[in-house]
Amino acid sequence: MSKKIVIIPGDGIGQEITDSAVAVLKKVSDKYNLNLEFESHPAGGTAYDLCGTPLPQTTLEAAQNADAVLFGAVGGPKWDNVEPTLRPEKAVLGLRKGLGLYANLRPIKVADALVEYSPLKEEIVKGTDVLIVRELIGGIYFGDKCESEIYEGNERAWDLENYSVPEVNRIVEFAMQAAKKRKNKVTSVDKSNVLATSRLWRRT
């Protein structure tokens, strides 16, 4: 049974990276009879140049119907002055939302051979094994925003941060399930002395 992988090269170095990654995946597929199928779709600045939007509906639908998505990188100086809602980075946010990708996983491990190069003391950094679990589709990135308005005689812009209990529940549950496979420890980082959203996180 074949598996479909949608390739979204994006812009600049993203295209070089995905070309190399696909070459490796094809070798792996051939060696282990994985029957991987590859299908490329545009996003980011390249898509904006082709279609007038950083995330064409056809790209999003292909990603939603794929078994996996291989994403390169988007953006570059060429598109710095594009209208904010059409900037290449909007493709990343659109894919996160459209695919329900609410959890970003960032593992941190320090190899013994690199311990001496850390600015931290050896006894602190040796054996470091941390997994940062970051919420991706709530909060300030997806809240209401204003690019420019005049307030009390001055121009200002604003971004609204908001979280709901279900959004907090699912990322915390994800972190706890990940912790069960590690050291059974979760640390929640917030700014509850200042932010109402952080107080909601802490209560939840």
Side-chain angles (χ1 to χ4, degrees):
M1 185 174 176
S2 63
K3 297 289 185 183
K4 184 170 77 173
I5 300 178
V6 164
I7 312 299
I8 303 178
D11 310 316
I13 196 171
Q15 297 170 1
E16 299 172 39
I17 291 168
T18 52
D19 282 350
S20 296
V22 169
V24 171
L25 285 172
K26 284 181 177 177
K27 291 282 188 184
V28 172
S29 180
D30 291 344
K31 182 170 182 176
Y32 295 100
N33 297 314
L34 300 179
N35 296 317
L36 300 182
E37 295 178 0
F38 302 93
E39 187 178 292
S40 186
H41 290 271
T46 303
Y48 174 78
D49 290 345
L50 289 171
C51 313
T53 177
L55 183 60
Q57 186 64 26
T58 51
T59 298
L60 178 57
E61 289 174 359
Q64 289 170 331
N65 292 315
D67 294 295
V69 176
L70 181 61
F71 184 82
V74 295
K78 177 181 179 183
W79 302 283
D80 279 351
N81 296 314
V82 171
E83 198 270 314
T85 61
L86 296 173
R87 286 182 60 88
E89 296 80 8
K90 289 293 183 179
V92 178
L93 300 180
L95 284 165
R96 286 180 188 172
K97 197 80 168 176
L99 297 173
L101 303 176
Y102 64 90
N104 181 311
L105 305 182
R106 300 190 179 197
I108 302 169
K109 288 189 176 184
V110 179
D112 288 345
L114 298 177
V115 167
E116 64 182 288
Y117 299 105
S118 171
L120 303 176
K121 293 179 180 177
E122 180 178 339
E123 61 267 27
I124 293 173
V125 75
K126 190 174 178 67
T128 295
D129 183 4
V130 177
L131 176 64
I132 295 175
V133 180
R134 176 184 164 212
E135 202 286 327
L136 274 189
I137 58 176
I140 204 164
Y141 281 17
F142 289 91
D144 292 340
K145 53 190 80 272
C146 173
E147 292 291 331
S148 176
E149 70 176 10
I150 302 301
Y151 178 75
E152 295 182 351
N154 297 299
E155 183 182 17
R156 73 175 185 179
W158 50 263
D159 300 275
L160 175 66
E161 167 150 320
N162 62 73
Y163 277 106
S164 66
V165 169
E167 287 174 320
V168 178
N169 275 337
R170 68 182 178 186
I171 192 71
V172 173
E173 288 173 4
F174 189 101
M176 289 181 176
Q177 290 299 324
K180 284 182 177 179
K181 300 174 184 175
R182 299 166 60 81
K183 297 178 182 176
N184 290 313
K185 182 179 175 73
V186 174
T187 300
S188 180
V189 180
D190 63 43
K191 190 71 175 165
S192 61
N193 61 330
V194 175
L195 300 177
T197 46
S198 283
R199 289 190 288 276
L200 175 71
W201 272 75
R202 189 167 285 205
R203 288 197 306 272
T204 303

